[in-house]
Amino acid sequence: MMKTTYSIGLGLLLGLVLGSSALAADGGNPKKGKHLYKKECKVCHSKGDAAGELTPMTKTMAQWDRFFEKDLHKGKPEVFQKLSEKDLKDIQQFLYDHAADSDQPQTCG
């Protein structure tokens, strides 16, 4: 009985963790995010630029979520600071949807 209860609890916990990370980037518009990324981010994040190349495939979905969750880019370039929360969510959605471990990995083109 104890083993069954433990297994069910562990299964529920695992389901909650995996389910919450799968939905973490929901709410953004990936098409708008791609446009914003090309316009605002790619300026500094192309091959050979000082900030280094950065594309959706640079990170996994979970890594992109952590990046935005921890505001790892906040306070750096002025361009990033002028973007609205909705713009940032759109960029995050684009990066998440096309991350290295997504169903549709891609570069920014």
Side-chain angles (χ1 to χ4, degrees), residues 3-28:
K3 190 174 184 179
T4 303
T5 305
Y6 176 76
S7 295
I8 291 171
L10 185 60
L12 288 173
L13 180 63
L14 183 61
L16 286 172
V17 169
L18 292 176
S20 66
S21 68
L23 300 173
D26 279 351

Side-chain angles (χ1 to χ4, degrees), residues 29-77:
N29 179 333
K31 287 183 181 181
K32 185 177 177 195
K34 183 175 185 174
H35 169 76
L36 287 167
Y37 186 87
K38 284 183 170 184
K39 180 181 173 193
E40 305 292 347
C41 306
K42 202 168 178 184
V43 173
C44 296
H45 289 293
S46 293
K47 198 170 194 168
D49 287 329
E53 185 177 26
L54 193 64
T55 71
M57 289 180 29
T58 304
K59 299 180 184 298
T60 65
M61 292 183 284
Q63 288 171 323
W64 280 120
D65 281 341
R66 282 192 302 273
F67 179 87
F68 281 88
E69 186 178 291
K70 293 180 180 183
D71 289 331
L72 292 178
H73 210 304
K74 203 167 201 152
K76 305 250 172 150

Side-chain angles (χ1 to χ4, degrees), residues 80-96:
F80 201 82
Q81 292 177 11
K82 77 176 186 176
L83 296 171
S84 70
E85 289 299 316
K86 177 68 173 130
D87 290 343
L88 293 173
K89 189 55 132 173
D90 292 341
I91 292 170
Q92 180 184 4
Q93 190 71 55
F94 164 66
L95 295 170
Y96 180 90

